[in-house]
Amino acid sequence: MEPELMALASSGAATLVGLMVSDSWERVKEVVARMLARRGGVQSALRDLDASRAGLLAGDESSVIGVESEWRARLCHLIETDPDFAVDLRHLLNVTGALPPEAPTGDVRNVISGGVQHGPVIQAGRISGQVLRLPRHPPASGGGDG
């Protein structure tokens, strides 16, 4: 398989797994199932997608790797057996990358009060998979060995 098509299958699998655990899944599931079915068998594709999603929601990081690997292999097979599938997969990746949020978000106003903050202040609706490393504070000046 050409490296470009392998990369497409990998990107497709990662996107599919990401969608399965997102709020957007219910909106795109039917479209994905029809695309995967190609020649009928949409119900079978829906069952496969639901089983993968259930595994992701009930599992850990190793289950994510397993599900993504399974879908990468399946997407590679579809790309190899149906050249038009690659076009459809690229289109799906472009469309899902631009999905609007399910519900409109409201205005957010942040206020910090209560004195001086000597470190990062983070206010967010959702933070996922981030590691915050606080800077080391220099020793306090003014009351020392002078």
Side-chain angles (χ1 to χ4, degrees), residues 21-108:
V21 296
S22 76
D23 294 336
S24 302
W25 179 241
E26 289 303 318
R27 293 189 299 160
V28 298
K29 178 172 72 169
E30 291 280 336
V31 173
V32 172
R34 282 193 307 274
M35 186 185 81
L36 291 171
R38 307 301 281 174
R39 296 175 190 90
V42 173
Q43 292 305 315
S44 176
L46 282 169
R47 282 191 298 275
D48 291 347
L49 291 167
D50 285 339
S52 292
R53 183 171 194 264
L56 288 169
L57 296 177
D60 56 7
E61 188 174 334
S62 65
S63 65
V64 172
I65 293 168
V67 169
E68 188 173 327
S69 177
E70 175 186 328
W71 281 104
R72 182 181 311 109
R74 188 166 175 177
L75 295 177
C76 281
H77 174 73
L78 288 167
I79 289 169
E80 288 177 327
T81 59
D82 183 356
D84 293 335
F85 182 79
V87 173
D88 291 343
L89 183 57
R90 279 190 190 95
H91 178 73
L92 178 71
L93 294 177
N94 288 336
V95 169
T96 56
L99 280 176
E102 205 161 286
T105 56
D107 291 341
V108 175

Side-chain angles (χ1 to χ4, degrees), residues 109-123:
R109 300 195 195 310
N110 295 319
V111 177
I112 299 173
S113 62
V116 177
Q117 305 301 316
H118 295 285
V121 175
I122 299 172
Q123 297 177 332

Side-chain angles (χ1 to χ4, degrees), residues 128-146:
S128 176
Q130 300 296 317
V131 176
L132 177 63
R133 302 208 190 283
L134 298 174
R136 295 181 190 244
H137 294 288
S141 61
D145 306 68

